[in-house]
Structures are given as C-alpha cells and as structure tokens.
Amino acid sequence: MPDVKVNEPRLLLEGKVALITGAGGGIGSTTARIFAREGARLILSDVDRDLGEAIRKEIVDAGGEASFFAANVAKAEECEAMVAHAEESFGRLDIAFNNAGHIGVYQPFKDYPLSEYERIIDVNIRGTWNCLRAEIPLLLKNRGGAIVNMSSTAGIVGSAGAAPYVMAKHAITGLTKAVALDYVKDNIRVNAVLPGAVDTAMPRRLVGGDEAILAHAASMIPQGRFATAEEVGEMVAFLCSDRSGHTTGGLFLVDGGLTAA
Ligand SMILES: NC(=O)c1ccc[n+]([C@@H]2O[C@H](COP(=O)([O-])OP(=O)(O)OC[C@H]3O[C@@H](n4cnc5c(N)ncnc54)[C@H](O)[C@@H]3O)[C@@H](O)[C@H]2O)c1
C-alpha cells in the first residue's frame, strides 16, 4: 500500500518529452496546452506551419518548452525527420500523440470523391503508420514510452456517408492493438482515443457551418452535447502518463455515451 500523502502537488507528465502531430488543430493545440501545464517538454508538429508556430509561441510565451517541426504525416521521410528533430532537441522521446487526421466529406459510398478517399487514407492510415515506424525505434532506444493514436467512434461503429473515414479509423484501432502487442515486453504502451463529436473546426467544416445540423448531431449524443477538446486532451494526458501503467492496446471512448446507446 502506498503511504498516504495529502495535497501533494504532482504534475502528470513532469519532465517527459512529448510529440504531438496535428498540433495546430483544435484537439492538438488543446492537448499541447494540457501537456505543458502538466510539465511536459513539447515537439509540436503540423503540416500547417502557421497554426503550429502559433501554439508553439503561446506555450513558450507562457514559460513552457516547445519546438515546432513542420511535417506531412503522409510522408514517411518527413515523419522520420520529425522524430530526429525530437531527439536533437531534447535527447529523447517519452510520449507521442499521433493526432493528425482528415475527415473528408459526407457522400454515399459509390459517389465518394476518389481524391478525398486517397487523402483520408494517406493522412489517417499511412500517417499513423509512418509516425509509429519513426517513433518506435527511439522509444526502444529510450527503453520505453507511451503512444496514443487518434481514432474515433468511427473506429468501432459505422457512419452513413463516411465510408473512407470509418475504414481509416477502424484501421487505426486495429493497428493500435497489434503494435501494442509487438512491444508489450519493451515497456512501450500503445492506446487509442475514440472521441465521438468534438467541438472543433473539423465537424463545422464537414457540415459547412450549418448550426441546425450541428444541433441535431448534438441531440443524438446521450449527454446532449459535443465533447470539448479539453475532455479529449485530459484522456490523452492520462493515457500518456505513468498513472495508466497497466493500460496498453486499449480503445478509450470520449463520446458522451454515443456508442453505449
Ligand atoms: N473533431 C471531432 O469531432 C473529432 C472526432 C473524432 C476524432 N477526431 C480526430 O481528431 C483529430 C484532430 O481533429 P480536430 O478536431 O482537432 O481537427 P482540426 O481540423 O482542428 O485539426 C487537425 C489538424 O491536423 C493537421 N493535419 C491535417 N493533415 C495533416 C497531415 N497530412 N500532416 C500533418 N498534419 C495534418 C491540420 O493542419 C490540423 O491542424 C483527427 O485525427 C480527427 O479525425 C475528431
């Protein structure tokens, strides 16, 4: 039994070096703020340099440690360079949040635009694969670490009009389980987070900003609302911390009861 210590301040990610992809977006930037608050040193990456630089500056201005590296996760060589940058900047890597993603458009399967299909596969499936391939060797060198892959409830249930996204997020849940087992004896934990609908630019873009559609979507969630990006980021921070030490190959819902109904 641990000794009882009351009111002892303890940061969740004290001293850890953490990489976040898609760090300029809604969930990525919010998770970066939570990681910084919890004592992590950050490598922030995004294909969008302006968005990524903005969150790096915000964290550094607030007294945190953060470096930005522009990378398209669909390109293996850019993911390798991103991880090399992490090692050069901080000498190690403890945590990776493979969060970059692309949702595409809503269209029935036979009409789905092929260019959007290709991009969804490239960013979500190839992107997560490329990140893992680049990160695992450095984590092995460091003798352990924690990875969280960004999936979605679309990684365990279907969604009409979103076949490529559903396929891609299912691939990420499968990849998470398989890679977790490959490295379970190497002190590397690999989990996935599965949000339902989160209040970021992504769902707004998908429905062209139509508030009525967003309100209807929220009404379909048992909690009656979208998740906040903070609620997703807090789950990711826990899964990346030593407090979830016996957790690997797991799929963690942040969906307000959506898939329980
Ligand atoms: N918002 C939701 O409702 C929701 C629900 C479930 C899962 N997700 C997933 O969460 C993740 C983040 O989504 P968000 O809501 O923050 O969206 P967002 O659009 O705000 O952020 C996505 C970020 O990913 C970056 N990105 C896109 N393509 C990239 C590439 N090829 N390489 C590197 N970076 C790239 C974008 O520049 C952007 O900064 C995505 O994987 C998404 O599928 C979102």
Side-chain angles (χ1 to χ4, degrees):
M1 287 284 284
D3 293 341
V4 176
K5 291 196 178 100
V6 178
N7 290 334
E8 186 190 53
R10 201 156 56 102
L11 297 178
L12 200 57
L13 305 175
E14 182 108 58
K16 306 263 191 200
V17 176
L19 166 67
I20 301 177
T21 69
I27 295 171
S29 61
T30 301
T31 305
R33 290 183 193 98
I34 292 169
F35 277 20
R37 184 197 72 203
E38 295 295 340
R41 295 175 286 162
L42 298 172
I43 300 97
L44 304 172
S45 186
D46 203 291
V47 73
D48 186 319
R49 184 177 287 277
D50 291 343
L51 285 177
E53 275 292 354
I55 182 65
R56 183 202 64 80
K57 183 174 182 317
E58 187 189 318
I59 285 171
V60 170
D61 287 352
E65 269 189 82
S67 169
F68 173 72
F69 191 86
N72 177 355
V73 295
K75 305 220 159 124
E77 65 280 9
E78 296 191 20
C79 292
E80 279 156 24
M82 171 181 80
V83 171
H85 173 81
E87 191 175 18
E88 280 156 27
S89 303
F90 296 113
R92 59 181 295 111
L93 184 66
D94 303 294
I95 290 167
F97 178 29
N98 299 321
N99 164 66
H102 180 67
I103 196 168
V105 294
Y106 269 129
Q107 282 286 326
F109 176 72
K110 78 176 179 52
D111 304 322
Y112 209 92
L114 280 181
S115 59
E116 278 297 317
Y117 157 77
E118 300 280 1
R119 189 165 166 206
I120 289 167
I121 301 305
D122 272 356
V123 180
N124 293 284
I125 303 184
R126 276 187 221 288
T128 307
W129 172 277
N130 289 338
C131 286
L132 288 167
R133 292 268 285 198
E135 292 153 4
I136 293 280
L138 185 52
L139 295 187
L140 286 171
K141 198 168 150 188
N142 294 166
R143 299 183 190 285
I147 297 175
V148 172
N149 293 325
M150 174 54 85
S151 182
S152 162
T153 50
I156 53 167
V157 295
S159 176
Y165 187 70
V166 168
M167 179 169 73
K169 292 301 192 186
H170 271 70
I172 292 172
T173 60
L175 184 61
T176 299
K177 293 182 201 176
V179 177
L181 293 176
D182 279 348
Y183 297 101
V184 73
K185 297 280 169 55
D186 296 296
N187 196 30
I188 297 175
R189 297 184 300 107
V190 189
N191 291 292
V193 66
L194 282 64
V198 189
D199 189 9
T200 68
M202 186 176 272
R204 287 179 190 284
R205 267 197 314 271
L206 187 63
V207 300
D210 189 323
E211 291 295 332
I213 300 179
L214 292 168
H216 176 70
S219 75
M220 304 299 286
I221 298 168
Q223 278 191 349
R225 64 171 179 85
F226 282 23
T228 63
E230 283 78 8
E231 288 167 327
V232 179
E234 293 287 357
M235 173 67 90
V236 175
F238 170 69
L239 292 172
C240 289
S241 78
D242 296 339
R243 288 183 214 177
S244 61
H246 197 51
T247 298
T248 194
L251 311 180
F252 291 85
L253 293 163
V254 186
D255 74 346
L258 185 65
T259 53

